[in-house]
Amino acid sequence: MDKETHELYEYARKRIKQKKYLYYHFVFFLIGSLFMFVANELLDYGQPTRWDIWGSTAWFFVIILHFVNVYITNRFMNKEWERDQVERLMTKQKNKIEQLSVQLEQDTLKKES
């Protein structure tokens, strides 16, 4: 297996793992929210406040952040994006080095004259 195929395989494996953990997180959220509802309503634990709704809402917000991270952020900032950024920075550095070497040559010629 060549390097590029291996990178594609590793990226696919990483994405599948991220999605799997998101699904586990969501199922755990559903079970946890149901447990909080049962604890608040049926067991009269924590009455008269509705802490189960606050807890589920906060947890749902965390799930939304997890979803955004998996399906939006990591989808667009993948290996190809990273490679493009590295190439862009390397090109910028090469241009700067070329400018400095030209300037150094000019300074050297001025001193010799």
Side-chain angles (χ1 to χ4, degrees):
M1 183 165 34
D2 64 339
K3 184 178 179 180
E4 187 173 323
T5 305
H6 181 70
E7 283 182 8
L8 290 172
Y9 172 77
E10 286 300 320
Y11 175 73
R13 204 168 67 91
K14 179 183 171 191
R15 292 287 296 148
I16 289 170
K17 195 178 210 181
Q18 288 175 338
K19 290 177 183 181
K20 182 173 104 176
Y21 287 136
L22 176 64
Y23 298 148
Y24 284 152
H25 191 183
F26 184 71
V27 169
F28 191 63
F29 161 73
L30 292 177
I31 293 169
S33 293
L34 181 64
F35 176 76
M36 287 190 291
F37 175 77
V38 168
N40 193 41
E41 294 296 320
L42 299 179
L43 302 176
D44 292 333
Y45 182 77
Q47 291 295 337
T49 61
R50 294 298 310 237
W51 61 268
D52 61 322
I53 293 177
W54 287 104
S56 294
T57 302
W59 198 351
F60 186 69
F61 181 71
V62 171
I63 292 248
I64 289 172
L65 292 176
H66 193 168
F67 177 85
V68 167
N69 183 37
V70 170
Y71 281 101
I72 297 174
T73 306
N74 287 334
R75 184 175 187 182
F76 295 111
M77 293 185 174
N78 55 20
K79 285 285 185 189
E80 186 177 321
W81 177 84
E82 189 176 312
R83 201 173 298 127
D84 289 343
Q85 293 299 314
V86 167
E87 287 178 18
R88 185 178 66 81
L89 287 174
M90 286 174 58
T91 304
K92 195 174 185 181
Q93 288 173 346
K94 285 179 184 176
N95 290 340
K96 185 69 174 176
I97 290 170
E98 287 174 10
Q99 288 174 354
L100 288 173
S101 82
V102 167
Q103 185 179 2
L104 182 63
E105 285 179 23
Q106 289 174 353
D107 289 345
T108 306
L109 288 175
K110 283 180 183 178
K111 285 182 181 180
E112 290 177 356
S113 312

